[in-house]
Amino acid sequence: QVQLVESGGGLVQAGGSLRLSCAASGSFSGLSMGWFRQAPGKEREFVGRITWSGGFTYYADSVKERFTISRDNAKNTVYLQIYNLKPEDTAVYYCAAGLGNDYRSYNYWGQGTQVTVSS
């Protein structure tokens, strides 16, 4: 059984940085750990992902200059580091286990963590 728990969200001023964590348990062989976000009234959006085997990363074009995904295999934890936060980054951020960049290909989800960026 895959379980994911996000943490690290909060209220941040524009220009600041934040690191989100996703503590994972279960088997992830062949899967990616993805980060998605959803703002009020908008569809869930792909942010980036990291392959559990190999650690390859992929990012949405809109965030690749400011977002970095990494992992700590010993802790079974994946991180999303966000730099130079902007008000439009305000959303609930989710980590998920699945394949590709489409949220519909992810079967396992965390509960989400709120990120609010003030201008």
Side-chain angles (χ1 to χ4, degrees):
Q1 185 72 17
V2 174
Q3 290 188 323
L4 304 170
V5 179
E6 301 99 332
S7 61
L11 174 63
V12 185
Q13 285 191 329
S17 299
L18 205 59
R19 189 178 78 163
L20 308 182
S21 301
C22 175
S25 61
S27 175
F28 309 101
S29 178
L31 297 180
S32 286
M33 299 300 292
W35 284 97
F36 296 82
R37 66 184 181 184
Q38 189 165 20
K42 294 189 176 182
E43 190 174 9
R44 194 162 295 191
E45 174 188 20
F46 170 76
V47 170
R49 61 183 173 95
I50 185 167
T51 59
W52 197 254
S53 303
F56 298 103
T57 54
Y58 306 86
Y59 299 96
D61 287 342
S62 60
V63 303
K64 62 183 179 182
E65 300 297 326
R66 300 186 294 115
F67 288 34
T68 300
I69 296 174
S70 61
R71 63 177 185 175
D72 184 332
N73 286 353
K75 296 182 179 180
N76 262 14
T77 299
V78 175
Y79 303 98
L80 176 65
Q81 179 74 52
I82 310 174
Y83 301 97
N84 189 22
L85 277 153
K86 303 177 179 182
E88 52 263 41
D89 294 322
T90 295
V92 177
Y93 284 72
Y94 298 91
C95 68
L99 297 170
N101 298 353
D102 189 335
Y103 71 87
R104 291 165 290 192
S105 299
Y106 284 70
N107 293 324
Y108 305 99
W109 292 85
Q111 82 285 358
T113 185
Q114 176 72 46
V115 172
T116 303
V117 184
S118 63
S119 57

